[in-house]
Amino acid sequence: KDALPPGTKLSDLLGAGVEVIALADNEGVRFGGPMAASAALVGDYLGRGLYDRVDAKGVTVPAALKAAGIPSSASAVEALAIPADQVAGYVEVHVEGYDLLERMGAPLGVVEAAAGATYMLFSVTGDEKALATHQSLVPMADRKDAMAGAAEAILNAERACKAAAKEAGEEGAPHGVLCGTGFVSAAPNAPLNIARQVNFTVGVTSTSDEARAAAVAGVRARVDAVCAKRGLACTGGVMMEYGAAAVPDDLVARLLDDASDALKELPSLLDGGAEPPSGSPTLAIALPTMWTGTDTDVLNLARRFPAGALFVRHRLGITHSLAEHVEPADIAAAGAVLHKFVARQLLGQDALEL
C-alpha cells in the first residue's frame, strides 16, 4: 500500500511507500490471545480461534469490534490479511524485555530469530459444594481444593520445563526451554471459601521446536497426574502455538550495517552533548544480535514476509510496570536506525528528503 501522499519521493521513485502500523493487543490481556493484530495481518485470526474468544465480562470479539466502530464480520477480519507479494519487509522497534543490552552497554540489539511459543490454558475443578462451603468447616481429608491442586500443577509444570531443558542440553541458556504462569483466576474467589475452580495458563518458549514440544508434553502429563492424585477434574490444553522463526540473514546484515552508520551520526543524541561517563558505550560499538523470546509480532509476520526487529535497552529490564523506562537517547537511536534503513533500502540514499 502507498501510505504517503501522492508526489512524495517514495511514491515517485517506487510507486510504493512505507506504511506505519500500530499493532494492538500484543499481550492478549482482554481476550487471551497474544499478538492478535498481527495474526489478522497474516490471515490467521480466524484459524487460531481468536474471533471466537470472550472476555471476562462476557463480551465477544465481534461485539467489541462493533462497539469500537470497526467492521466486525468474519469476512471483514479476513480482509485485513496483507498479501505477501505486496510487502517487501517489516521492521519493528521493541523494548528488549530483559536487561541483556543494559549489561552489555549497547543501546540497541538486532533480532536474528524468534523463539517458538506454546500457550496453554488449564481449568482445575473440585467439588461443586465448594461454592457454598466455608473452608473452616470441611476436614482436610474431605476436600477437593482446586486452588491447592492448581498450585501443585503449576509447580509441576515448572519442573517439567526444567527437565525438558536439561534433556535438550539447554539448561541455563538465555533462550532455552523457558516457561511460566502469567494468569490465574479462581471461583468463587472468596477468602473464606474453598476454591471450586481455578484457571491458569502455562507458556512455554524455546529456540528449539523439538525441545518445546517435549516440555509441552511434560507439562500436560504432570498437570493430569496432579488432578488424578487429588481427585480433581482437569481440562484444557494448547490454545495457541507458534514455531521458531528466523529473520533472513540479509535483513539482519542490512540492519547491522545501517545501525552502525546511523549511530556514528548521532553523538550528541547518544551522549547528551557531553563527554560520556567512564564505561559508557562508544558510538563505534558493534551491536549484538539476539533471539527474542517475547511476544513480538515478528513471530507472526516472519511467516508471511521478511520481518525483523530492533531491540531497545531499558532500565533494569523492567516491563509492564510504571517503573519501565527507556532513555530518550536510545529511542532517538532506534529512530535514526529505522530512518537510515528505509532511506537506503528503498531509495539508495543516506537520508530521506520528503
Side-chain angles (χ1 to χ4, degrees), residues 274-349:
E275 286 297 319
S278 177
S280 293
T282 67
L283 297 181
I285 186 171
L287 295 185
T289 55
M290 316 177 73
W291 277 80
T292 172
T294 60
D295 295 333
T296 58
D297 292 290
V298 168
L299 201 56
N300 273 334
L301 300 174
R303 289 165 178 76
R304 181 61 63 93
F305 35 73
L310 287 172
F311 271 175
V312 185
R313 69 179 166 191
H314 52 114
R315 189 167 55 203
L316 302 176
I318 297 172
T319 63
H320 307 95
S321 164
L322 293 176
E324 180 176 335
H325 176 76
V326 180
E327 290 293 334
D330 291 346
I331 296 174
V337 173
L338 285 181
H339 176 266
K340 180 72 70 177
F341 176 80
V342 170
R344 282 184 172 173
Q345 305 312 319
L346 292 185
L347 299 180
Q349 300 175 357

Side-chain angles (χ1 to χ4, degrees), residues 85-157:
D85 60 3
Q86 291 186 15
V87 180
Y90 167 89
V91 176
E92 73 175 29
V93 175
H94 200 287
V95 292
E96 179 196 350
Y98 196 47
D99 65 348
L100 294 180
L101 287 172
E102 190 174 46
R103 293 187 204 179
M104 291 185 283
L108 306 171
V110 175
V111 172
E112 62 179 348
T118 300
Y119 300 96
M120 294 173 280
L121 174 65
F122 294 102
S123 181
V124 177
T125 305
D127 197 328
E128 288 282 349
K129 293 183 297 182
L131 280 172
T133 301
H134 198 288
Q135 61 176 273
S136 65
L137 300 177
V138 181
M140 298 298 289
D142 293 341
R143 297 186 183 190
K144 292 184 178 179
D145 190 332
M147 184 68 76
E152 184 177 358
I154 290 169
L155 287 174
N156 277 358

Side-chain angles (χ1 to χ4, degrees), residues 16-339:
V18 178
E19 184 165 1
V20 179
I21 303 176
L23 296 169
D25 206 18
N26 175 259
E27 299 289 344
V29 173
R30 182 174 180 183
F31 291 102
M35 299 174 286
S38 56
L41 292 185
V42 298
D44 288 342
Y45 198 90
L46 299 181
R48 291 178 183 169
L50 296 170
Y51 187 75
D52 302 319
R53 293 188 180 275
V54 180
D55 71 8
K57 295 182 178 180
V59 179
T60 64
V61 168
L65 291 173
K66 186 175 181 179
I70 300 171
S72 59
S73 67
S75 60
V77 173
E78 285 183 315
L80 295 173
I82 301 176
D85 60 3
Q86 291 186 15
V87 180
Y90 167 89
V91 176
E92 73 175 29
V93 175
H94 200 287
V95 292
E96 179 196 350
Y98 196 47
D99 65 348
L100 294 180
L101 287 172
E102 190 174 46
R103 293 187 204 179
M104 291 185 283
L108 306 171
V110 175
V111 172
E112 62 179 348
T118 300
Y119 300 96
M120 294 173 280
L121 174 65
F122 294 102
S123 181
V124 177
T125 305
D127 197 328
E128 288 282 349
K129 293 183 297 182
L131 280 172
T133 301
H134 198 288
Q135 61 176 273
S136 65
L137 300 177
V138 181
M140 298 298 289
D142 293 341
R143 297 186 183 190
K144 292 184 178 179
D145 190 332
M147 184 68 76
E152 184 177 358
I154 290 169
L155 287 174
N156 277 358
E158 182 181 66
R159 294 185 182 108
C161 287
K162 289 180 177 179
K166 186 175 182 179
E167 180 68 23
E170 295 185 350
E171 199 170 17
H175 290 297
V177 178
L178 304 174
C179 76
T181 292
F183 167 83
V184 177
S185 68
N189 200 29
L192 301 180
N193 283 80
I194 298 169
R196 174 188 175 270
Q197 185 177 73
V198 176
N199 302 314
F200 65 93
T201 58
V202 177
V204 182
T205 63
S206 177
T207 56
S208 164
D209 287 341
E210 183 179 356
R212 177 172 50 84
V216 169
V219 168
R220 173 83 260 187
R222 295 199 186 209
V223 170
D224 287 343
V226 168
C227 289
K229 180 183 73 173
R230 289 178 169 267
L232 301 167
C234 217
T235 59
V238 174
M239 62 175 183
M240 197 170 298
E241 195 163 38
Y242 307 86
V247 177
D249 290 342
D250 63 328
L251 180 53
V252 173
R254 282 182 281 158
L255 280 169
L256 286 170
D257 288 345
D258 295 340
S260 176
D261 291 343
L263 294 185
K264 291 174 184 176
E265 297 170 4
L266 285 175
S268 61
L269 286 174
L270 287 180
D271 61 27
E275 286 297 319
S278 177
S280 293
T282 67
L283 297 181
I285 186 171
L287 295 185
T289 55
M290 316 177 73
W291 277 80
T292 172
T294 60
D295 295 333
T296 58
D297 292 290
V298 168
L299 201 56
N300 273 334
L301 300 174
R303 289 165 178 76
R304 181 61 63 93
F305 35 73
L310 287 172
F311 271 175
V312 185
R313 69 179 166 191
H314 52 114
R315 189 167 55 203
L316 302 176
I318 297 172
T319 63
H320 307 95
S321 164
L322 293 176
E324 180 176 335
H325 176 76
V326 180
E327 290 293 334
D330 291 346
I331 296 174
V337 173
L338 285 181
H339 176 266

